[in-house]
Amino acid sequence: MQVRLAAPADVDAVAELRRALWPDGSLSEHLAEVQAIVAGAPPSTLPLAILVADTGAELIGFAEVGLRSHADGCDTERPCGYLEGWYVVPAHQRRGVGRALVAAAAAWARDQGATELASDTWADHEQSILAHQALGFEIVDRCVNFRRSIADADSDAGAPAGAPALPLYGPALARIHHQHFGMVAEAAADELLARLSARGVHSGTVVDLAAGSGILSRRAVNAGFDAWGVDISPDMLAIARAEVPGATFVRGSLWDQALPPCVAAAAVGEAFCYRAGPDEEMSIDALSERLAAIRAALAPGGLLLFDVAGPGRGGAASDAGSAPASVAGRYWTLGEVSVGVNVHEDGERQRLTRTIDTFLPAGPSWRRSREQHWLQLYRPEDVEAALTRAGFAVELLCGYGSWRLSLGWHGFAAVRVD
C-alpha cells in the first residue's frame, strides 16, 4: 500500500470515500470539492490537500489535511496543520492504514511550516476519540455550540454594540500591497498617461483618488504632471509620501474631499466600491453625485479613469436575485510572507466581503493580522448611465492596456463634455 497525494484520476473514488465519511453532502457536491482541491483551488483561504491510501488496485482510504490560521489548544501566533477528516473503508480498518494516512498528513503539514496538527470529532463519538488518542492526539477542549436567529431587528435588543470596523490597509497589508500587488495601478498609469499624451496634454494636475501607496501618482510626477492624492489609510499614505515626495497627499475620504482643478482623475482598484463598514448603505445615486463633483474639478476634455466591482466579482452568479454565494479565495506565499483572501458575495444585496489574513515572521513564530473589506457592487450599465448623466462621454474598458480585468471587474474611461 502507498500513501500519496490525490491525482485528477482519483476524483471519483475520493468523492465516494468522502461521501461515506460525510453522508450529509451529495455526491455531486463531493465531486466538485474534490476536483477543486486536487486542482489546487480549494474552498479555503489556506492550503488544503487530499492524501489517499492506494493498494495499486483501489483506493481504500483518504485523509484531508490543511492549514488553519489557528485551532483550539494550538499556538495562536502561527498557522497549524488541521486534519479535516480521515477515513478507511471498513474491510481495511485496524491494519495500520489510518495511522499511515495521519502520519502522511502530519508530514505534509510540517512541510508547510506547521509545528502542530489539530483535529476534531463529536464529543459522543467514542470510537473516533480513542482512534485520535491512539495516534498521539490529546484532548485540549470540549465545547457546547449555540444558535440564535438574528433575522428580525428585534432579536438584537440587548445585544452588545458591534466593534468598530478595522482600518483599511493597516501597516502589514499596506506594505504587502505596495510591494506585491501594485500591478493594477502601474497598468492604469500607463493607460492614463497614454490617453493624455494622445490628447496633447503633458502638464497639469492629476488627482489620484484612493491613492494608496502612490504608484499612479509617482508615474504622473515622473511624466511631468503635478499629483494630488487622497486616501483613508495612514499607512498607505506614509508609503506614498516617502515614494513620491513631490506629490501632495491628504488623508480623507474620496467621497467628500474637496478636489483641486485637474486635467485628469483616477480611482483605481475598485475605489468607489469600498464601504466604511458592513452596514453602510451605498447607492448609484451617491456615486452619480460624486461623479458630478469630479467633473466640476476637471478641465474641459478632462479624463476620469476608474474601475468598479460588479456582480460576479466574487465568482457568484450575476443575477441580482441570486442567493448569496460563498466563494473561496486565494493564497499567496511571498517570500517569508503569506497572504490569504477569502471572498463572500451577496448577490441579492449586491455586496462583497473580502477577509484578508496576513502571516509575517516574528522570530521563530508567526504574527497574524486580519482585515475585512466591504464592497458595494455596481452594474456596469448603471455606472455608464450615471457617467452620462454627469456630463461625460464614456468608454467601457476590458482592462488597462494589456492588463485584463477579470470577471465582474469593469473599467471606464470618461471624458468631460461641455
Side-chain angles (χ1 to χ4, degrees), residues 7-21:
D10 303 320
V11 167
D12 290 342
V14 173
E16 292 286 1
L17 293 171
R18 229 168 167 261
R19 186 169 64 163
L21 177 62

Side-chain angles (χ1 to χ4, degrees), residues 11-13 15-16 18 26-36:
V11 167
D12 290 342
E16 292 286 1
R18 229 168 167 261
S26 68
L27 181 58
S28 61
E29 290 172 331
H30 287 300
L31 280 168
E33 292 180 7
V34 173
Q35 286 172 340

